Amino acid sequence: MRTQDVFGYSFSAIKLRKLRAGLTTLGVVIGIAAIVALLSITQGLQNTITIQLETGLATDTLIVSPGGGAFGGGQHGGDFGGGALGGAASGFRLLVNDTLTINGLSTDILTSIAVIQRSGYINSTEHERVTTIVGVDFAEYKNIYSTTFVSESGEIPDNPENNTIIIGKRVNERQNGTVLFTAGEDVQILWANATARPPQNESYATHVTAVLQEVGGFAFGGPSDSNIYIPISTAQEFFNTSECEIIIVKLANSDQATIDAVVKKIVDEFAGEVSAISSTAVLNILGSVFSIIELFLVGIAAISLLVAGIGIMNIMIVSLIERTREIGILKALGMKSRTVLAIFLGESVIIGVIGAVIGIALGWVLANIVATVLSSGAITVGTGGGAGASGGLLSITPVLTPLVFLGAFGFGVGVSVIFALYPAWRASKLKPVEALRYE
Amino acid sequence: MEIPKQIRNKIVAFMAPIVEAVNLKKTYMLGKIPVEALRGVNLKVESGDFLAVLGPSGSGKSTLLNLIGALDKPTAGTLLIDSFDVSTLKDNQLSDLRRRVGFVFQFFNLIPRFTAIDNVGLSLSIAGMGKAERKKRAKELLETVGLKDRMKHKPAELSGGQQQRVAIARALANNPRFLLMDEPTGNIDSKTAREIINLVKGLNEEKGVTIIMVTHDQHLAREAKRIVQIFDGVITSDIVNGEPT
């Protein structure tokens, strides 16, 4: 029997039971759609974050933070003894003037700057916003983050007055576009000092010197849309501290050997009490985190496809029993067992192909709907972290790679065929005499 | 003059009986009890024969029919169909052999979702014929059985007699060595049965189609040139044109 006739016969059998075949196909559609939607969204999300990180911070920087063995623990031989998280356990504190020590460690280090940050508020007579108050050296910060620490209005002074502040785009503007503060405006900033007895709000009057350009939703050490920036000296005074949260180190170049060497020197210098991490490492970690998330999500989606497969098997067995006599007729007419097998597998191939194609299309549509919902601001995703809290919108463009496309297609058809193997084999093994006698 | 071996073989095959059974036995298990359905059947069917196998139910005639139709294998004895020894054939080869047999069933056994022309075409498509050719051949066959104006009808839209005509056209599709009919009129009214039997007789007399018909109906059997009576798994009489052999 010719291949097209085998498929023609399979198709005529499917057409006979449209509803049943439709429901079976629906199982495949849902499974494939889930896989495609999840994969293309996570892929898109990963792209968005990676791009934002890559543009948000220079690859030739390291972030030094207290706490050995936390984020960058793998980089100094797994010394977990020095306090696992944020250095709190050991009592180690990173100081603002540790930058001087770091600067002298290697000729590959061009400069380093301390960053102090606290949660706080910014107030004008009409508006109040929650924000993160960050103290940095404006000139050096601008030097390191030359593409993102850029003003949209006003100017970033190299030698700022004590009461200068620079505010991030997202602090300044609501999502609906309402502008809250303008460059040149006098505002007040305050923070809740929990170390004072009793805890009290400390505040001082400032002058908005500049509003930053939009950076993007994520930052790691670098400028963030939801932060406000004050001079480092003011910060030390205002927060009454000589400690800093992180030190950003700018390197002469961004090759891995330089990064590794400098990381080792810094970690050794502070006896494993700090961790130093490069943006490359952050990207790598992020990449592996995404791989795990992706695997997990796809695993869940795959289970739904597995259920669809069992559905196919069930339907095929029912169909096989119903068509026992028909199979007997076909065999009496001289059809070979392998052709009977091919007819049954053909049915599952048709169901698999239709299911996979519709599933991929539906998954893609779903991914775009979800992405649109996320991007439109219906859901705001904020990320927080010691190295640079930020909150903002995710603009995700779902990505459907050829690999995902082909993989989903192959998986859909594959599952359909695999689960049809047993019923098809049973059909092919029916004895013509018995099959013909079947009522 | 030496006849080339290939041609000689063809002549031998042509002259050889279409069906030859020697001491044919078939035992099958009914639950745990062995049933001897055939207990040593000897039968030869020559090309052009119109043979009726007559016997009551349980006589073993259906078992014989299944064996001659290559649907089943004998337990013992020899069965040659078109010179092929059925016992030695593999599953695939049996399938091929079945294409040389034109099966006509009591209950027609048409595929309900196919039209008359597609039912006939199915047989041709199993034999590997292309679509256009199939259509042409199926049309011719349906014309032969007098169903020219019913080609696009599905079995449910046809009368019993018409369905059986479609089944006969289907059985003839691959130019079988013989038609094997199982109670061909058992499921249709007597008037239509008459038409069917005239069609079958016509095929035998005018086109030389060999026919083996299994029935328990004596009146129907009398239409055949040769009547073989089977009882309790053995052949009890063999009458050709009214003369015992």
Side-chain angles (χ1 to χ4, degrees), chain B residues 60-131:
Chain B
K61 63 182 193 312
S62 288
T63 308
L64 184 62
L65 175 105
N66 287 336
L67 288 175
I68 294 174
L71 294 176
D72 212 348
K73 283 187 177 184
T75 314
T78 314
L79 174 64
L80 300 178
I81 299 172
D82 203 15
S83 301
F84 289 98
D85 185 348
V86 172
S87 310
T88 64
L89 295 182
K90 294 197 174 106
D91 206 26
N92 266 340
Q93 294 167 315
L94 276 177
S95 299
D96 285 334
L97 188 57
R98 280 179 214 133
R99 290 180 202 165
R100 297 167 185 246
V101 180
F103 247 110
V104 178
F105 304 91
Q106 180 180 359
F107 297 103
F108 324 131
N109 277 343
L110 300 172
I111 307 289
R113 63 178 178 277
F114 286 175
T115 59
I117 197 164
D118 287 343
N119 263 292
V120 178
L122 178 61
S123 219
L124 298 163
S125 124
I126 288 172
M129 192 184 273
K131 201 175 180 181

Side-chain angles (χ1 to χ4, degrees), chain A residues 104-185:
Chain A
L105 284 177
S106 164
T107 50
D108 286 326
I109 296 174
L110 294 184
T111 182
S112 66
I113 61 164
V115 177
I116 301 175
Q117 55 190 33
R118 295 285 185 279
S119 293
Y121 305 89
I122 174 168
N123 279 342
S124 69
T125 46
E126 290 159 42
H127 306 289
E128 181 181 79
R129 295 219 89 182
V130 180
T131 183
T132 303
I133 304 163
V134 180
V136 287
D137 183 315
F138 285 2
E140 296 282 18
Y141 203 60
K142 197 161 64 174
N143 179 23
I144 294 174
Y145 298 105
S146 55
T147 54
T148 48
F149 198 61
V150 177
S151 68
E152 187 180 70
S153 59
E155 255 182 56
I156 302 172
D158 282 344
N159 299 302
E161 304 282 335
N162 281 344
N163 65 347
T164 303
I165 68 162
I166 293 163
I167 63 179
K169 182 79 172 174
R170 200 56 69 195
V171 177
N172 188 42
E173 242 176 53
R174 286 193 197 282
Q175 275 151 22
N176 60 16
T178 313
V179 176
L180 306 178
F181 312 103
T182 50
E185 193 176 348

Side-chain angles (χ1 to χ4, degrees), chain A residues 268-285:
Chain A
D268 287 349
E269 177 66 27
F270 291 95
E273 295 279 15
V274 299
S275 57
I277 185 159
S278 64
S279 52
T280 328
V282 173
L283 290 180
N284 290 344
I285 289 166

